[in-house]
Amino acid sequence: MRTRFRIADATRTKDPKSESVYNATRDRLRSIFMSAGTSILGIVPLAIFLRQRSEFDRGLGIEIAGGLAFLTILTPTVVPTLMALLQDFSGDRRKHIIGS
């Protein structure tokens, strides 16, 4: 949500869109890594502790922790890029509809 406001501010102040996307992503990195890190650390006991009949739990814990780690890397890279591209597309579309 904060990224959207940064890009809207950039259009009002005529800053380059790529710079506003970068700044918004940089501002959110700490919260993204903190929330993902606590979730991954909470799953670690499920993945590493050996108990009787824990084969299913161990596999599930590894899958969840790996998925969270992978998506934590994707969130600050792919999402802002897609948002900037979609905003470019919607801006071009508006220009064609309005006729300016």
Side-chain angles (χ1 to χ4, degrees):
M1 198 67 168
R2 190 181 291 175
T3 305
R4 180 179 295 165
F5 295 133
R6 287 274 187 168
I7 292 174
D9 286 342
T11 52
R12 274 189 247 125
T13 60
K14 304 296 183 203
D15 285 341
K17 193 177 300 184
S18 60
E19 184 178 326
S20 63
V21 169
Y22 171 76
N23 289 334
T25 303
R26 189 191 64 212
D27 291 346
R28 292 198 35 88
L29 275 180
R30 182 176 181 198
S31 62
I32 290 170
F33 287 142
M34 291 292 286
S35 62
T38 56
S39 298
I40 291 169
L41 287 176
I43 296 294
V44 166
L46 186 67
I48 63 171
F49 287 144
L50 298 174
R51 300 188 303 264
Q52 188 177 15
R53 298 174 40 146
S54 66
E55 297 87 16
F56 177 75
D57 293 342
R58 185 173 186 178
L60 183 65
I62 291 171
E63 289 293 323
I64 292 172
L68 281 171
F70 178 70
L71 290 176
T72 299
I73 301 301
L74 280 182
T75 299
T77 56
V78 173
V79 172
T81 305
L82 285 176
M83 187 171 174
L85 289 173
L86 289 175
Q87 187 147 6
D88 284 343
F89 175 72
S90 68
D92 291 341
R93 191 171 174 201
R94 258 187 250 133
K95 288 178 186 175
H96 291 298
I97 292 172
I98 297 172
S100 16

